Structure formats: C-alpha cells, structure tokens
C-alpha cells in the first residue's frame, strides 16, 4: 500500500484528463477479471467489504470529490500547500486542509457564504473535517464514483447514480472430498456444484445486466465529464491566454524592475558614498562629541565640586539666615524705636528749618558784606602794592646782598690753599662782614688789618637757600606787580653764583636756587591772585653772553654764534631777535626749560665748568597780568643773571683764548660798573653807557631808573682767595653806594 502511495505521489499531475475510465468501471473490471481468472470469491468479497467499510468511514464527505484521496495533499507531506485539484481526474478538492477555514469553491469561485450554483457542493465545517480526516487516513483511491448527491458545476440536474453492489452471489458449499471409488457420491456433488454454478451464472448474468446498465450510465457520465473537460479545457485555454498576457506583463514589469533595480543600485551606490562621507563626518562628530563629552564630564565634576561647596555654603547660609532672622526681629524692634526717634527728630527738624530760614536771611546779609569786603580787599591789594613798592624804594632800588659760601669738603690742596680767612660778622642784624688779614709793613713786620663791609644783607656760610630767598621774595612779588626786577650774582669763579641762582643739578626742594624758587612763588601768588580777578601769562627766555656774543640756550641750533641774535629796545621793552620764547604754564615746564638750558651750556663746550664761569647767563621771565574785575593790567620782567667769574687778569695769568675771554668778561663787568655809577649819579644829564657791552645793553631796562636791582656778591671764605674776595667786596660796596631813581610800575588802569 505504501509503495502504491509513493508511486502515485510521484506522478506528475496531468494538465488534461486523458483517461475516460471512471472508478466504477475500474471496480467492474476488477470483478470481471477476478471472475475470469477464477479468483477466490472470498478475496473479491473481501475487497468489496473493505471498500464498503472505507466508504462508510466518510460516506458523505467524499460524495462530491474525487475519491482517490492519494492525490490530495497528505497532512504528513512536507509540502504544506494544499492542493486544490485532484490531478488525475481533475476533480476538485474544494476544501483546504486547514481544519478551521473553508476555501473558495474552485468551480464557481464563490465561498460558502455566497450562493453557489450547486449548493450541494458546499459542506459544513464538520463534514470538511471528516473529509480532511478521510483524506489523510485513506491513501487509496475510493472505488466509489460520485454519489447521487454530488453534482458538478455546469452539469446541474444530471445526477450520477451509484451501482448496487449488495447482490449476493450464492456460495459453493464446502464438502468433504469423496474417495475415488465413491462415484455416486461424487456425481451427486457434481450435480450440486452444477446447480450452484448455474445459480451463480444466473446471478452473474443478472449482475452483468446491472453492470451493463451501470456501464451505460457510466458512459453517460463519461460523456458528461468529457463535455465538462472540454469546458474546462476552453477555460484552461482562456487562462493560458491570460497567463501569457500576465507573463508578458510580468516581463515588462521585470524589465521595469531591472531598470528600477539599476537606478536603485546607482542610488544605493551614491547613497553608500554619502553614507561613507556621513560616516566619516559622524566619526569626526563622534570624536568631537567625545571630546566635548570628556570636557563636559570634567566640567560636570568641577560643577559637582562647586555644587557641593555651594551646598555647604548654602547650609552655612541657612544657619546664617536663621541667625539673621533673629537679628532681624531685634532690628525690627530697633526700627520701631528708631521710627519714634525719627518722629521726634522731624519735630526738631521743623524747628531747625525755621532757624535755617532765619540763618539764610543772615547769610544773604553776610554775602553782601563779603562782597563789600572783597571790594575792600581789592582796594587794599592796590594799597598793598603801593606800600610794598614804597618799602622797596625805602630799602633802595639797588641793593646788595653778600653771601659767603661754605668751605667745600671736596676742596684739596696745600694747607695755605685750604685755610679759611678770618671772617667775622659784627652786627646782629646781619648786614656787616669783616675780614682780618695780615699785611706786611714797609719795615717788613706783619700787621693785622681789618676790612669791614656793610651791605643790605650778609649771608653767612651756614645760611640756606631758603634764608636767601626769603629776603628776595619781596622783589619777585614786585615783578608780579608789574615792575622790572633784576637780580644778578657777581663774584669770582667758584664763589657760589650758580649755586645761588640755579642751585645744584637735580636739586632737591631744599637746595633749589633763586630762579626755580622765584618761578614757584610767582605761580603760587598768581594762583592766589586769581581770586582777586588777576590772570597771568608767563614767558621765559634764557640767553648766554659769551665773548660778547648772544647765544640762545633754549634753541636747537647749538651755541658759538650759530645764529646771530641782536638786542633791541622799543617802548621800554627789550627784545632779542630770533630768540626762543617758551610759554610757561606750569612749574614743571620751568624745570624742563632750566634743564634744556643746562644741557645746551654743557654741549657748548667740552670744558663745561670752564665755559660756564666764562659766560654771563640771563634768565628772563615776562609776566603779563590782567584783572577781569578792575580791568587793570600789568607787565613785569624778572631778570635773573649768573655773571661770569670776576678774576683779575693780572692774577689769572690767562693767555690766548682764556685771555680773550677774561678781557671780554672784565670789559663787560667794568661796563656794568660804569652803568651803575652813571645811574647813581644825581646829575640827570649824565650819559649811561649801556652800549659798552652786550650785558649792560641787554639789561638797559632792568638797570634803569624804573627798575629794582639786587646784586649778590658771592665770596669765597678761603684765605687764598682773599684778594679776589676783597676786589668783589669793593665792587659791591661801590654798587651799594649808588642811589638810583624811583622804579615805575608798568601798569595801566582803565
Ligand atoms: N652756599 C653754598 N653751599 C654749599 N655749596 C656751595 C655754596 N656755594 C657754592 N657752593 C659749591 O661751590 C662750588 C662752586 O660753586 P658755583 O659753581 O656755584 O660757583 P660759580 O661762582 O658759579 O662758579 P663759575 O663762575 O665758575 O660758574 C659748587 O660745587 C657749589 O656746589
């Protein structure tokens, strides 16, 4: 059986039905063959019974379908796809092998829920289940043809009747074999057998008739089936056409698909490229993000640390807040107390406001009186200036101060050279100085002789720059008031003229000379006078007279007559051509000016000290004042002069250029002496020889009758310098004896 099943399952399903044999004809043929071959009737009967019993297993389920269930899908088959057709007979397995659902009817293409042309085809699910079981458990093709209940679509009304297979063939009784000698008995058995066989023959004839009629009906059925087959073939042809069309369509679709696939491949390729680029970018981004992540993590760590510290701080702040809350309560109570206090204060304030109003009235009155007082001060300022001038006049318009320089610690030499002269200061007012010097008489004996001198002021070696300036500050004030003031230092080389007028290089506040101190005082006084309506403009010039040549110490052209400068006088004013004039707006600017002058003097000669002692230096400060209240104006000039050393030619032993220098110096100093003598002469018609030297010509307006002049005579305390000191003191006495006219103020009152 299994072998048969396997061989059947190997059969390829035919596309067309080629055999017209039906299952019923197969059965009849089987019976006929069995009979013809004299096969044991028991075997034939058993086959029939088996078939009947098989038929009984699923009598209804197989009525409408091919009974050769071996062509149907066995449940155990690995191919799980259910077959729709019985391929050999082309009958239709209407049902799916799935037990829980029914497929569409393959004949009418309608499912059970719709009306089929032959409703008998469709069975309920229970029957299908039975069919299922039958199909899976019955491998052989059922001998039964389609039942009378079954019908084929397209052949509705034609029913195929099942053959009657229950006609029983009489059985041949079994008898004991008779011995050979029992001829009668054997004859009787033969007769009996003949009767049975006759009966069987009759029955078989009868069956033959039935079978013939059955054959006829089967042939009808075959005819029906053939027409059904033709019907199906035409359907198949239509389907094949449809298949071809579908196939062509499929080819088109395939081509389209291939084109699309190529396009897709290209797209995929470009997408892959993009993808790789994106991947690279993503990797870079990933790296960057990783770095950012790392930095963020480190930041997070630090932030966590900060957070923790802030939390700690928070905790401490909370405790502070609780403390502060307590303090706040205390403060609130204080606040209440303060409010009460404020209320009391406000009351007091109101009283004070009344007082303030009263005071404001008084203030207005006071302001008026202050204004009056200011007016009086201005008037008194004018009076002060007049009185100041009167005092200066009383002191004398030409005054002489003597200053003895201290013995320098750096002085080296023999004992005679470093020995100091015998100097005394007899009066307590500080106006007298007396030298005691031993002189040889005609007899050769040594006689001590006294040389007393009296000046307006004598400064001892211990006197400071401040002491000296205190005495001349009144004259400086006169320049601010609009007078011409001339202060010059006279004396031998090294007697301290430059120290007195300028001070040492890089001087401190204490060691500053008369020039910087005068400028500072002028600035201070000018500032103070601003309150009284005075504003001043200051201009500075610094020139050197060397060998009767005027050099500009503030210019950039160098010295030694690089540029020729002429002295001019006009309208009581002295000017020098091509000279540098610096507007002085602050004391610092004056300091810079002095520094530049010192630099120019130093570059003028490699032997700076030599040159400085051989030239006259004149610093001129012009002061133009204007009073915006009184509309007054004033123009004063302050000349501060460091004269060249006054060595006597006979004693200096100079030769060559030094001789020429000394001659020029002596000439100019002698001219100065002559000018002062002429000015001091009471005869008004006396000629004043200003033009005899560049120095006197330059100082013409400062030495004249309308100026205030102060001469420092600087002397050395050394005995070795006694003769020169004596000469200087005698010249100073001569100057001091002069009485020059009253100085006039260059002021305009409008
Ligand atoms: N009153 C003083 N106190 C301290 N030192 C002084 C005083 N007078 C002069 N000297 C010092 O004596 C030296 C010479 O002084 P200074 O150069 O002022 O003399 P001078 O008369 O200007 O000489 P020259 O005619 O050569 O220019 C300087 O070193 C200076 O510091």
């Amino acid at each position: 059986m299994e072998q048969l099943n396997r061989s059947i399952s190997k059969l390829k399903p035919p596309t067309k039905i080629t055999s017209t044999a039906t299952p019923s004809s197969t059965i009849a043929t089987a019976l006929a063959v069995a009979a013809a071959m004299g096969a044991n009737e028991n075997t034939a009967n058993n086959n029939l019974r088996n078939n009947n019993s098989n038929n009984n297993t699923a009598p209804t389920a197989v009525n409408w379908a091919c009974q050769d269930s071996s062509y149907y899908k066995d449940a155990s088959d690995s191919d799980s796809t259910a077959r729709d057709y019985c391929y050999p007979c082309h009958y239709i397995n209407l049902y799916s092998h799935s037990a829980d659902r029914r497929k569409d009817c393959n004949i009418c293409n309608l499912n059970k829920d719709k009306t089929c042309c032959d409703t008998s085809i469709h069975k309920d699910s229970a029957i299908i289940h039975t069919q299922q079981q039958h199909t899976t458990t019955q491998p052989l093709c059922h001998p039964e043809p389609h039942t009378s209940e079954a019908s084929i679509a397209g052949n509705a009304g034609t029913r195929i009747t099942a053959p009657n297979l229950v006609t029983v063939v009489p059985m041949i009784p079994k008898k004991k074999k008779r011995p050979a000698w029992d001829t009668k008995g054997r004859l009787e058995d033969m007769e009996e057998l003949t009767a049975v066989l006759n009966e069987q023959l009759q029955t078989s004839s009868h069956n033959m008739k039935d079978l013939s009629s059955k054959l006829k009906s089967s042939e009808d059925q075959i005819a029906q089936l053939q027409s059904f087959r033709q019907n199906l073939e035409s359907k198949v042809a239509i389907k094949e056409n449809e298949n071809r069309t579908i196939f062509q369509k499929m080819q088109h679709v395939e081509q389209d698909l291939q084109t699309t696939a190529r396009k897709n491949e290209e797209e995929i390729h470009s997408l892959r490229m993009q993808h790789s680029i994106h991947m690279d970018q993503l990797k870079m981004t990933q790296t960057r993000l990783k770095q950012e992540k790392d930095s963020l993590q480190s930041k997070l760590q630090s932030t966590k640390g900060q957070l923790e510290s802030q939390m700690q701080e928070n905790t401490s702040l909370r405790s502070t807040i609780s403390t502060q809350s307590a303090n706040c309560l205390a403060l609130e109570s204080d606040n209440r107390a303060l409010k009460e206090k404020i209320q009391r204060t406000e009351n007091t304030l109101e009283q004070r406001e009344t007082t303030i109003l009263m005071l404001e009235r008084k203030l207005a009155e006071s302001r008026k009186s202050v204004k009056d007082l200011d007016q009086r001060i201005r008037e008194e300022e004018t009076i002060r200036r007049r009185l100041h001038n009167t005092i200066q006049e009383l002191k004398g318009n030409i005054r002489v101060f003597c200053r003895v320089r201290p013995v320098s610690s750096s002085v080296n030499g023999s004992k005679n050279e470093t020995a100091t002269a015998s100097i005394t200061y007899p009066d307590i007012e500080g106006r007298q100085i007396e030298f005691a010097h031993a002189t040889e008489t005609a007899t050769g004996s040594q006689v001590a002789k006294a040389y007393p001198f009296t000046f307006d002021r004598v400064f001892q070696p211990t006197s400071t720059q401040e002491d000296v300036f205190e005495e001349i500050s009144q004259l400086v004030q006169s320049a601010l008031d609009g007078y011409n003031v001339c202060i010059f230092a006279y004396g031998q080389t090294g007697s301290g003229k430059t120290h007195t007028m300028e001070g040492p290089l890089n001087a401190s506040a204490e060691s500053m000379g008369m020039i910087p101190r005068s400028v500072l005082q002028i600035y201070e006084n000018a500032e103070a006078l601003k309150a009284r309506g005075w504003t001043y403009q200051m201009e500075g010039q610094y020139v050197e007279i060397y060998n009767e040549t005027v050099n500009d110490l503030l210019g950039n052209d160098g010295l030694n007559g690089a540029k020729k400068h002429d002295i001019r006088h006009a309208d009581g004013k002295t000017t020098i051509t091509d000279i540098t004039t610096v507007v002085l707006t602050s004391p610092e600017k004056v300091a810079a000016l002095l520094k530049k002058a010192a630099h120019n003097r130093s570059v003028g000669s490699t032997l700076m000290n030599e040159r400085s002692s051989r030239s006259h230096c004149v610093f001129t400060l012009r002061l133009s004042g204007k009073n915006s209240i009184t509309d007054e104006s004033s123009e004063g000039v302050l000349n501060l002069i460091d004269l060249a050393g006054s060595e006597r030619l006979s004693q200096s032993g100079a030769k060559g250029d030094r001789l020429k220098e000394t001659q020029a110096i002596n000439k100019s100093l002698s001219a100065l002496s002559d000018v002062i003598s002429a000015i001091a002469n009471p005869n008004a018609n006396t000629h004043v020889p200003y033009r005899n030297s560049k120095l006197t010509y330059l100082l013409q307006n400062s030495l004249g009758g309308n100026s205030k002049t102060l001469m420092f005579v600087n002397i050395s305390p050394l005995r070795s310098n006694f003769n020169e000191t004596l000469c200087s003191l005698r010249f100073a006495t001569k100057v001091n004896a002069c009485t020059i006219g009253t100085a006039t103020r260059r002021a305009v009152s409008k």
Side-chain angles (χ1 to χ4, degrees):
M1 183 68 73
E2 283 175 5
Q3 195 179 357
L4 184 62
N5 276 337
R6 276 198 298 275
S7 61
I8 288 168
S9 65
K10 281 175 187 170
L11 284 174
K12 286 277 176 189
T15 51
K16 289 183 180 177
I17 297 170
T18 53
S19 169
T20 54
T22 61
S24 55
S25 65
T26 308
I27 295 163
T29 307
L31 286 172
V33 168
M37 290 177 72
N40 193 324
E41 55 267 39
N42 284 338
T43 309
N45 287 335
N46 283 341
N47 284 341
L48 285 171
R49 271 195 296 276
N50 282 340
N51 288 334
N52 281 335
S53 68
N54 286 338
N55 199 27
N56 289 337
T57 309
T60 316
V62 295
N63 284 343
W64 45 270
C66 173
Q67 298 305 302
D68 188 354
S69 58
S70 64
Y71 283 102
Y72 293 102
K73 185 70 195 162
D74 191 307
S76 62
D77 197 313
S78 59
D79 182 4
S80 60
T81 309
R83 276 179 194 161
D84 294 328
Y85 297 91
C86 172
Y87 287 99
C89 63
H90 221 258
Y91 280 176
I92 301 155
N93 176 14
L94 294 172
Y95 303 109
S96 165
H97 283 269
S98 171
D100 56 357
R101 73 182 175 87
R102 184 181 292 178
K103 283 192 69 167
D104 294 344
C105 173
N106 287 297
I107 297 169
C108 63
N109 285 332
L110 291 175
N111 60 33
K112 76 175 181 77
D113 297 327
K114 296 181 181 176
T115 308
C116 177
C117 52
D118 187 352
T119 53
S120 63
I121 290 171
H122 304 290
K123 303 298 175 185
D124 60 37
S125 59
I127 293 170
I128 291 162
H129 186 69
T130 310
Q131 160 70 9
Q132 195 84 17
Q133 285 173 338
H134 173 77
T135 307
T136 54
T137 55
Q138 182 60 43
L140 289 173
C141 183
H142 199 282
E144 282 285 326
H146 303 292
T147 63
S148 58
E149 291 171 21
S151 69
I152 306 300
N155 294 303
T158 306
R159 295 188 180 276
I160 302 166
T161 308
N164 185 7
L165 297 178
V166 293
T167 306
V168 178
V169 179
M171 300 293 288
I172 300 169
K174 279 191 176 181
K175 293 210 175 181
K176 200 176 174 183
K177 198 172 178 182
R178 290 178 191 275
W181 50 268
D182 189 1
T183 314
K184 191 182 174 191
R186 290 178 71 180
L187 190 63
E188 286 173 357
D189 288 344
M190 287 290 284
E191 284 174 349
E192 273 179 37
L193 181 61
T194 303
V196 170
L197 285 172
N198 283 332
E199 197 177 341
Q200 279 186 349
L201 190 64
Q202 282 174 357
T203 307
S204 294
S205 310
H206 179 70
N207 282 345
M208 275 294 286
K209 279 179 189 171
D210 287 345
L211 284 170
S212 295
S213 65
K214 182 70 180 173
L215 183 64
K216 197 171 181 304
S217 72
S218 293
E219 281 171 355
D220 292 341
Q221 197 177 358
I222 285 164
Q224 287 172 7
L225 285 169
Q226 275 178 341
S227 78
F228 176 63
R229 177 187 150 215
Q230 283 169 357
N231 201 8
L232 281 174
E233 278 176 349
S234 65
K235 280 186 181 178
V236 165
I238 292 163
K239 290 288 178 191
E240 277 177 350
N241 282 335
E242 285 175 2
N243 279 346
R244 272 194 294 278
T245 314
I246 288 165
F247 182 71
Q248 285 171 355
K249 280 182 183 175
M250 276 177 68
Q251 278 182 333
H252 288 310
V253 169
E254 261 180 25
Q255 283 174 357
D256 291 346
L257 278 172
Q258 280 174 356
T259 315
T260 311
R262 271 197 301 279
K263 280 182 187 172
N264 285 342
E265 273 178 9
E266 286 170 4
E267 273 182 26
I268 284 165
H269 181 68
S270 70
L271 283 170
R272 274 193 182 131
M273 293 291 288
Q274 286 177 6
H275 177 69
S276 68
I277 293 164
H278 285 157
M279 282 304 286
D280 292 344
Q281 287 174 350
L282 276 173
K283 276 177 188 168
M284 281 162 60
T285 312
Q286 191 182 11
T287 315
R288 187 169 52 77
L289 285 171
K290 197 166 179 295
Q291 289 171 352
E292 282 179 11
K293 184 189 155 194
D294 291 344
S295 74
L296 283 171
Q297 273 180 343
S298 66
K299 275 184 189 171
L300 186 69
Q301 289 297 327
S302 69
T303 310
K304 273 181 183 171
Q306 285 176 0
L307 197 68
E308 280 175 9
S309 68
Q310 280 184 356
M311 280 171 78
Q312 287 173 355
E313 198 181 327
N314 210 9
T315 314
S316 71
L317 280 172
R318 280 203 177 115
S319 67
T320 312
I321 284 167
S322 62
T323 318
Q324 292 297 330
S325 297
N327 290 343
C328 202
L329 286 170
L331 281 171
E332 275 175 3
S333 64
D334 288 352
N335 199 18
R336 278 193 293 277
L338 277 171
K339 273 181 183 166
E340 289 170 11
K341 204 174 175 182
I342 284 166
Q343 187 60 44
R344 286 199 298 275
T345 311
E346 277 177 353
N347 294 336
T348 316
L349 210 63
E350 276 178 17
Q351 292 169 1
R352 285 188 183 165
E353 270 175 3
T354 320
T355 316
I356 284 167
L357 280 172
M358 205 171 70
L359 285 171
E360 273 177 352
R361 272 200 301 277
K362 281 185 181 175
L363 189 68
E365 289 166 11
S366 300
R367 275 190 186 138
K368 192 172 175 296
S369 61
V370 165
K371 209 174 174 184
D372 296 343
L373 282 170
D374 273 350
Q375 179 61 31
R376 274 180 67 190
I377 285 169
R378 275 194 293 278
E379 288 166 6
E380 279 168 11
E381 171 66 20
T382 314
I383 294 165
R384 183 200 65 75
R385 288 184 179 213
R386 208 164 43 238
L387 288 173
H388 174 77
N389 191 42
T390 309
I391 292 164
Q392 295 301 315
E393 282 171 9
L394 287 171
K395 281 184 178 178
N397 277 338
I398 185 158
R399 277 177 282 163
V400 177
F401 288 174
C402 175
R403 187 176 191 188
V404 185
R405 79 160 175 79
V407 178
S408 174
S409 56
S410 62
V411 172
N412 294 319
S414 64
K415 204 176 176 184
N416 280 341
E417 284 173 342
T418 56
T420 54
S422 170
I423 306 170
T424 52
Y425 307 94
D427 67 328
I428 52 167
E429 290 168 347
R431 297 183 62 193
Q432 293 177 346
I433 182 170
E434 191 174 302
F435 278 81
H437 191 69
T439 53
E440 205 172 309
T441 61
T443 55
S445 58
Q446 292 281 330
V447 179
K449 190 179 176 188
Y451 298 90
F453 295 94
T454 302
F455 299 107
D456 290 294
R457 189 80 164 81
V458 175
F459 295 103
Q460 296 179 26
T462 52
S463 298
T464 61
Q465 300 278 59
E466 193 179 350
D467 297 336
V468 177
F469 185 72
E470 207 177 305
E471 288 295 323
I472 69 159
S473 64
Q474 298 298 320
L475 272 178
V476 174
Q477 179 62 44
S478 291
L480 208 59
D481 290 343
Y483 292 93
N484 280 350
V485 176
C486 183
I487 300 171
F488 58 90
Y490 178 91
Q492 73 171 114
T493 298
S495 58
K497 298 184 293 293
T498 308
H499 180 86
T500 301
M501 296 309 288
E502 293 183 16
L505 280 174
N506 301 320
S508 63
E510 288 79 33
S511 62
M512 275 195 310
M514 299 308 113
I515 295 175
R517 281 174 192 270
S518 302
V519 175
L520 271 179
Q521 186 190 317
I522 284 167
Y523 271 106
E524 282 171 12
N525 290 354
E527 278 298 309
L529 284 169
K530 268 186 187 172
R532 293 172 199 171
W534 284 98
T535 49
Y536 285 93
Q537 192 191 358
M538 300 173 212
E539 291 174 354
Q541 293 175 353
Y542 212 153
V543 296
E544 171 194 70
I545 299 170
Y546 178 68
N547 279 350
E548 287 299 298
T549 308
V550 178
N551 292 321
D552 184 6
L553 290 177
L554 301 180
N556 298 316
D557 303 330
L559 301 179
N560 293 326
K563 220 175 198 179
K564 199 169 180 314
H565 301 286
D566 293 326
I567 302 161
R568 305 263 168 85
H569 296 288
D571 301 333
K573 282 186 180 178
T574 305
T575 53
I576 305 171
T577 56
D578 283 337
I579 201 78
T580 307
T581 303
V582 178
V583 178
L584 301 168
T585 49
S586 66
E588 289 77 27
K589 215 157 186 185
V590 177
L593 180 146
L594 294 176
K595 213 170 178 181
K596 186 169 185 181
H599 173 74
N600 275 343
R601 286 181 83 183
S602 70
V603 297
S605 169
T606 48
L607 298 168
M608 196 266 279
N609 284 332
E610 280 301 311
R611 179 172 177 134
S612 70
S613 67
R614 313 315 295 163
S615 67
H616 309 296
C617 289
V618 182
F619 173 72
T620 306
L621 189 67
R622 296 182 190 283
L623 304 160
S624 306
K626 196 164 172 42
N627 194 316
S628 58
I629 300 168
T630 60
D631 219 14
E632 280 181 292
S633 63
S634 67
E635 275 188 37
V637 179
L638 175 65
N639 283 301
L640 298 157
I641 304 152
D642 180 7
L643 293 173
S646 58
E647 291 89 353
R648 281 182 297 169
L649 193 57
S650 56
Q651 287 189 357
S652 66
K655 289 176 186 166
D657 284 348
R658 285 300 303 273
L659 178 66
K660 198 179 159 193
E661 283 172 3
T662 311
Q663 284 171 340
I665 292 164
N666 284 346
K667 187 188 165 201
S668 61
L669 289 177
S670 154
L672 181 65
S673 173
D674 294 343
V675 165
I676 289 169
S677 297
I679 292 167
N681 195 326
N683 188 350
N685 293 326
T686 307
H687 170 69
V688 182
Y690 289 115
R691 287 183 177 269
N692 284 356
S693 75
K694 285 276 166 63
L695 177 68
T696 50
Y697 191 58
L698 178 67
L699 299 176
Q700 182 175 330
N701 286 321
S702 298
L703 292 171
N706 60 350
S707 67
K708 299 180 180 193
T709 307
L710 169 70
M711 188 182 87
F712 279 102
V713 55
N714 291 88
I715 55 172
S716 165
L718 296 178
R719 195 189 294 167
S720 58
N721 294 135
F722 176 73
N723 288 332
E724 278 299 327
T725 303
L726 203 59
C727 281
S728 297
L729 287 172
R730 280 175 181 160
F731 175 76
T733 304
K734 192 178 165 187
V735 172
N736 203 30
C738 292
T739 308
I740 58 176
T742 308
T744 52
R745 184 175 170 224
R746 291 177 60 79
V748 182
S749 281
K750 291 181 181 173

